[in-house]
Amino acid sequence: MTMRKTIIAGNWKMYKTIPEAIELSSGLKRELFKLEAQNVDVVLCPPFTSLRDVYEAISDSGIQLGAQDIYWQPQGAFTGEVSAPMLKDAGCKFVIIGHSERRQFFAETNEAVNKKLKAALEYGLTPIVCVGETLSEREAGGTFKVLEDHVLNGLKDLNAQQVLGVVIAYEPVWAIGTGKTATAQQAQEAQKYIRDLLAKMYNKETAQNIRIQYGGSVKPENIREILKEPDVDGALVGGASLTVEAFVAIIKGASEVNK
Ligand code: PGA
């Protein structure tokens, strides 16, 4: 019996216009109301442009709002960036940090992840910090080394109290958007490694209370199997979070897994 509440987050990436975002989020609100999955935290992470409209569409539901990125300065001459107070202002409670697409395509480093993380925590946002190896790193036997690097440097200087406010998402890069899900055993092995590392960095009790999601081709068909693993506390869902039907089916599946 774990004390960690399951958390299912939808990462919409660069999809959905404002009308589409309103349609998806109001559809989710309607269906999830019927489902009554109170044992699952549900978070939607739309693009910046539809944050506010989604916030309004999900009002009075248990669904929570998150952003997909953040900049670490509160304000200033940083063209194109969005700060923690701005995300709070838009109604966000969560923010994804260090997604592999940002690391790959926008040269995001662990140092940047760490600064973003601290800014999010300072303003009371819950960061969802993404870590995970590429296919070549896995094939070269480097999975744990990469996870160690991402976790140690990403969470650098955070104390035990602060780290309790962080969600970690283990997302093997080779499983993202490829239809190639990690096996439940692969997810468990990596996530247990992360939890053991957190126990060394902080202490066992703290590590036991940090939620670790799995991400990478999560679908209604595989959510139950993955979530049954003891160190998998939820999912970060890309493609399958873009339709009401698939995302509700994932949440339903998650709500039925008892640990
Ligand atoms: P996917 O994306 O579910 O489409 O594989 C997951 C993610 O990138 O967070």
Side-chain angles (χ1 to χ4, degrees), residues 7-248:
I7 174 168
I8 306 290
N11 172 12
W12 295 6
K13 307 193 180 184
M14 201 172 71
Y15 292 99
K16 305 291 176 188
T17 60
I18 292 172
E20 289 166 350
I22 294 171
E23 192 186 334
L24 174 55
S25 46
S26 29
L28 288 170
K29 176 177 169 176
R30 196 170 52 239
E31 294 304 315
L32 292 178
F33 180 73
K34 290 186 220 153
L35 195 64
E36 289 191 61
Q38 264 107 4
N39 56 344
V40 178
D41 276 340
V42 178
V43 183
L44 305 183
C45 303
F48 291 131
T49 45
S50 47
L51 280 175
R52 193 66 196 172
D53 292 277
V54 171
Y55 175 79
E56 277 160 19
I58 60 178
S59 67
D60 300 322
S61 75
I63 308 172
Q64 303 180 80
L65 188 68
Q68 298 174 18
D69 191 21
I70 187 176
Y71 189 60
W72 56 80
Q73 295 286 355
Q75 58 176 25
F78 302 102
T79 302
E81 297 297 316
V82 177
S83 72
M86 290 169 174
L87 295 181
K88 287 282 283 189
D89 193 34
C92 291
K93 292 228 168 73
F94 291 81
V95 58
I96 298 171
I97 295 177
H99 189 279
S100 65
E101 285 149 19
R102 298 221 53 90
R103 294 182 192 255
Q104 270 182 292
F105 307 134
F106 304 97
E108 197 149 301
T109 60
N110 286 325
E111 291 68 40
V113 168
N114 186 247
K115 285 186 191 168
K116 291 179 175 194
L117 196 56
K118 288 173 182 164
L121 288 170
E122 188 181 338
Y123 287 90
L125 290 162
T126 299
I128 298 177
V129 186
C130 303
V131 302
E133 81 288 358
T134 61
L135 184 58
S136 56
E137 287 164 341
R138 175 166 281 266
E139 285 173 344
T143 298
F144 292 160
K145 196 93 215 75
V146 172
L147 295 179
E148 182 182 34
D149 179 47
H150 286 177
V151 173
L152 278 182
N153 294 309
L155 303 185
K156 195 163 175 266
D157 307 325
L158 259 56
N159 63 35
Q161 195 53 42
Q162 287 171 310
V163 85
L164 284 170
V166 174
V167 174
I168 294 176
Y170 168 59
E171 297 209 308
V173 179
W174 47 273
I176 296 177
T178 57
K180 220 176 136 185
T181 324
T183 63
Q185 291 71 23
Q186 283 172 323
Q188 169 57 24
E189 181 190 45
Q191 300 195 193
K192 180 176 188 307
Y193 175 83
I194 293 170
R195 201 177 306 284
D196 289 346
L197 178 60
L198 292 166
K200 277 187 235 154
M201 291 165 69
Y202 300 96
N203 56 64
K204 200 150 186 246
E205 201 199 334
T206 301
Q208 281 306 321
N209 282 298
I210 297 172
R211 293 190 288 184
I212 308 177
Q213 296 175 304
Y214 166 78
S217 299
V218 171
K219 296 182 187 63
E221 297 76 39
N222 57 31
I223 184 70
R224 287 179 182 78
E225 197 189 336
I226 293 168
L227 269 188
K228 275 189 196 139
E229 295 296 331
D231 287 296
V232 180
D233 309 316
L236 183 55
V237 186
S241 74
L242 295 173
T243 65
V244 173
E245 195 191 10
F247 199 52
V248 168

